Amino acid sequence: MSFLMLVIIVGCGAWFVHWKFKFSWGSIWTSIGTVAFLLVRWAFSQEQEQHRKVSERVRRMSTYSNEELKEHANNFNYSPQERSSATREMKRRRENGTVPF
């Protein structure tokens, strides 16, 4: 539904720009395509940035001792992402049987 609404809004906006400012249809669709390309590129870079942050956090958590992980998971001064990563690392260790808790 939101995609259909987006198409309608863009179409009405393109018609308005063509009618009010006398822009050619080619320049309007070229501009829309350029904006869409830049938005997709920006979204992809944001996803890569988030993935990099998560990978760094997981790598850092895997070097912590059990006591450090417990403290990290239970301390509310850390972000929710940090606490959930510590909790997941503790569960992973418990399931693998690598370290007793």
Side-chain angles (χ1 to χ4, degrees):
M1 186 65 178
S2 62
F3 179 72
L4 179 61
M5 197 64 151
L6 179 67
V7 169
I8 290 170
I9 290 171
V10 169
C12 290
W15 176 82
F16 179 77
V17 168
H18 175 68
W19 170 71
K20 184 75 173 171
F21 303 111
K22 306 297 186 223
F23 281 15
S24 71
W25 285 109
S27 65
I28 291 171
W29 295 120
T30 301
S31 300
I32 290 172
T34 302
V35 168
F37 172 76
L38 291 175
L39 281 173
V40 168
R41 187 172 157 199
W42 174 79
F44 185 70
S45 70
Q46 293 297 313
E47 184 180 338
Q48 283 184 325
E49 176 80 15
Q50 183 67 20
H51 181 69
R52 186 184 56 78
K53 286 180 183 178
V54 169
S55 296
E56 287 175 3
R57 186 170 52 240
V58 168
R59 184 172 48 250
R60 186 170 34 89
M61 293 284 173
S62 66
T63 63
Y64 286 176
S65 69
N66 292 344
E67 290 77 23
E68 289 172 323
L69 281 175
K70 285 180 188 177
E71 191 271 329
H72 219 76
N74 295 323
N75 189 341
F76 285 93
N77 292 328
Y78 294 111
S79 70
Q81 294 86 2
E82 293 272 334
R83 290 186 289 127
S84 66
S85 293
T87 304
R88 277 195 304 276
E89 179 64 23
M90 286 192 310
K91 285 180 183 176
R92 185 186 67 79
R93 288 182 184 181
R94 204 174 291 131
E95 288 171 357
N96 291 344
T98 53
V99 212
F101 273 88

